[in-house]
Amino acid sequence: GWAWLGPKPAPGEAVARGGLAGQVVLNRLDDMPDWLLIAYQREICPPGDNCPRGEVHFNQRTITRNQDGTADIWIQVRHGVMQRFAVEAEQTITRVSYELERLQYRFNCENGEFIVVERQIMGPDDTVVARDQPAAVYRAPVQGSVTGLLFPIACRGE
């Protein structure tokens, strides 16, 4: 959770005082940007891998807590280097280079497992140039991975 350090702002006031390590502290959800940084790829990369220096963001406005005990959340990964994706159509395969992708995760809040509902490859102006819907196989988040970081946010709002 968050602890407020300093005088309490007036309702609706966005506070940009020098918080911890230059953080910007906002008073209301409406004041926050859509995409919030959750991790740098190099921080969640397995040891020994040559990880790109990209960023992982989540969108707090996309969190949906469902009646069946699941929670959905979208993330976006801005890779530090260009990635390749093969787009398959009826009789053609087109290779797309991209730097930004978005993923929708669904967490089973009871047992702590997740699936990837949809993956979107983003092109210029945040347009979707390709999408993928992987097989719905629930698995547990790996400690320290982005899904491990997202679980409490999606399920409990922490």
Side-chain angles (χ1 to χ4, degrees):
W2 291 90
W4 182 258
L5 303 174
K8 188 172 182 178
E13 178 186 359
V15 179
R17 294 185 203 113
L20 301 176
Q23 294 174 334
V24 175
V25 180
L26 300 172
N27 187 26
R28 298 180 343 176
L29 183 62
D30 294 345
D31 296 329
M32 297 176 75
D34 288 341
W35 295 99
L36 302 174
L37 179 68
I38 191 169
Y40 293 98
Q41 284 180 311
R42 66 184 175 272
E43 294 173 344
I44 56 175
C45 188
D49 281 5
N50 185 15
C51 290
R53 298 202 178 270
E55 299 176 342
V56 181
H57 294 84
F58 76 97
N59 188 328
Q60 82 278 358
R61 289 172 175 64
T62 66
I63 298 172
T64 306
R65 293 184 184 98
N66 307 304
Q67 290 183 340
D68 66 357
T70 61
D72 294 349
I73 187 170
W74 280 89
I75 70 162
Q76 72 177 12
V77 180
R78 186 167 303 278
H79 296 279
V81 296
M82 293 300 282
Q83 305 292 304
R84 305 279 291 165
F85 184 77
V87 180
E88 296 183 28
E90 293 176 19
Q91 296 182 355
T92 62
I93 296 177
T94 306
R95 299 207 184 282
V96 176
S97 294
Y98 68 95
E99 191 176 21
L100 180 67
E101 68 179 311
R102 292 188 178 150
L103 298 110
Q104 180 186 13
Y105 287 106
R106 177 165 296 144
F107 290 92
N108 182 322
C109 298
E110 298 272 326
N111 67 16
E113 295 181 327
F114 74 96
I115 59 170
V116 176
V117 176
E118 183 176 351
R119 176 181 177 208
Q120 298 176 346
I121 305 302
M122 309 304 290
D125 300 321
D126 286 349
T127 57
V128 178
V129 296
R131 60 175 27 112
D132 180 16
Q133 294 178 319
V137 177
Y138 275 93
R139 57 193 177 274
V142 174
Q143 179 73 16
S145 70
V146 73
T147 51
L149 297 171
L150 285 171
F151 177 80
I153 295 169
C155 289
R156 297 186 300 267
E158 298 176 352

